[in-house]
């Protein structure tokens, strides 16, 4: 079976090289300076390994065989999810053009970006798949499709002084503007943020710091990734996930 899987991924690699739309099974799908395919075959998810490498690994829910027959070939858009698959735990289905955003490392494995008070302007947190938000980036703004009618925009707090090494983020009905408005962007499936006034060693570095009520508050980490971690926080990178529903 192992060699069959290897053969299948080699074949998928070959067909993907032509199609450039879907990364092969076990293939690279993200990382700093990665310019190739960032979408994994249906049933596979792009899994963070280190800042330079993310890889398509079998998804937690179901495994499909579609890519063995070169499923991604010829299609220029994202693979549509094969609807018959898993019993989803998320309550909502992903809208076209949006992504879930989640952490993929303990202690926050498959916790999803959302607002502390659900679908309402409030602090950005990671939380349960069943309440996962859906997001897109337009003109450097990270936009939360909160309730289908009123979009919410990610707003990062200003840096009070150079000793401040983490910046909180919240959701607002008003887009970020002025000196504190940075730029959100994808690097592969990895969410990054930059701002001209702050030099960051790792644009994809985030921190998750639980508050007294155990909300998992999300911060931009202005320091190095996985080094000099502030007390009470965990280093994370966060990633787009485009499965039909948010899987645990
Ligand atoms: C959507 O959220 C906004 C902002 O919280 C709120 O003003 C609006 O009433 C909500 N709309 C629906 C249909 O829930
Ligand atoms: C920097 O700002 C933080 C947060 O506002 C504050 O607690 C701290 O005292 C300030 N430090 C200096 C050196 O100004």
């Amino acid at each position: 079976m192992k060699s069959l899987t290897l053969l299948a991924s080699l074949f998928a690699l070959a067909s993907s090289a032509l199609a450039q739309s879907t990364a092969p099974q076990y293939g690279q799908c993200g990382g700093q300076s990665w310019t190739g395919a960032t979408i994994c075959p249906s049933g596979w998810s792009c899994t963070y390994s280190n800042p330079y490498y993310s890889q398509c690994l079998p998804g937690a829910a179901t495994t499909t065989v579609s890519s063995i027959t070169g499923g991604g070939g010829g299609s220029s858009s994202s693979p549509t999810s094969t609807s018959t698959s898993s019993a989803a735990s998320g309550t909502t289905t992903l809208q076209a053009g949006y992504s879930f955003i989640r952490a993929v490392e303990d202690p926050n494995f498959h916790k999803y970006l959302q607002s502390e008070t659900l679908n309402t302007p409030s602090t950005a947190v990671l939380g349960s798949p069943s309440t996962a938000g859906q997001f897109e980036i337009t003109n450097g703004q990270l936009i939360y499709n909160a309730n289908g009618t009123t979009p919410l925009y990610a707003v990062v707090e200003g840096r009070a002084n150079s000793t401040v090494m983490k910046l909180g983020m919240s959701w607002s009905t008003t887009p970020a503007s002025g000196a504190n408005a940075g730029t959100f962007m994808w690097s592969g499936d990895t969410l990054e943020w930059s701002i001209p006034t702050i030099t960051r060693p790792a644009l994809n570095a985030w921190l998750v710091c639980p508050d007294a009520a155990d909300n998992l508050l999300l911060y931009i980490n202005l320091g190095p990734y996985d080094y000099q971690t502030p007390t009470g926080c965990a280093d994370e990178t966060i990633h787009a996930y485009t499965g039909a529903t948010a899987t645990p």
Side-chain angles (χ1 to χ4, degrees), residues 67-91:
S67 65
I68 291 176
T69 54
S75 159
S76 61
S77 58
S78 325
T80 47
S81 45
T82 41
S83 51
T84 53
S85 58
S86 55
S89 61
T91 52

Side-chain angles (χ1 to χ4, degrees), residues 157-164:
E157 70 177 324
R159 189 186 203 185
N161 60 57
S162 61
T163 68
V164 174

Side-chain angles (χ1 to χ4, degrees), residues 8-35:
S9 46
L10 285 174
F11 185 87
L13 182 68
S15 54
S16 159
L18 297 173
Q20 280 301 320
S21 59
T22 305
Q25 295 177 353
Y26 301 107
Q28 185 172 4
C29 54
Q32 273 173 33
S33 78
W34 174 245
T35 56

Side-chain angles (χ1 to χ4, degrees), residues 155-159 167 175-183 193-198:
V155 174
V156 177
E157 70 177 324
R159 189 186 203 185
L167 300 178
S177 65
N180 294 335
T183 301
W193 180 83
S194 69
I195 191 164
T197 48
I198 304 175

Side-chain angles (χ1 to χ4, degrees), residues 3-120:
S3 59
L4 263 182
T5 310
L6 179 61
L7 262 180
S9 46
L10 285 174
F11 185 87
L13 182 68
S15 54
S16 159
L18 297 173
Q20 280 301 320
S21 59
T22 305
Q25 295 177 353
Y26 301 107
Q28 185 172 4
C29 54
Q32 273 173 33
S33 78
W34 174 245
T35 56
T38 57
I39 295 164
C40 291
S42 177
W44 293 62
S45 49
C46 192
T47 305
Y48 174 85
S49 174
N50 62 52
Y52 306 98
Y53 191 75
S54 296
Q55 183 185 28
C56 290
L57 292 176
T62 51
T63 308
T64 72
V65 292
S66 65
S67 65
I68 291 176
T69 54
S75 159
S76 61
S77 58
S78 325
T80 47
S81 45
T82 41
S83 51
T84 53
S85 58
S86 55
S89 61
T91 52
T92 51
T93 302
L94 190 64
Q95 307 293 300
Y98 289 87
S99 303
F100 299 112
I101 295 178
R102 66 185 185 182
V104 297
E105 278 186 306
D106 283 336
N108 299 296
F109 181 79
H110 288 188
K111 297 281 181 12
Y112 287 73
L113 184 57
Q114 50 201 264
S115 49
E116 182 179 327
T117 308
L118 208 55
N119 296 338
T120 307

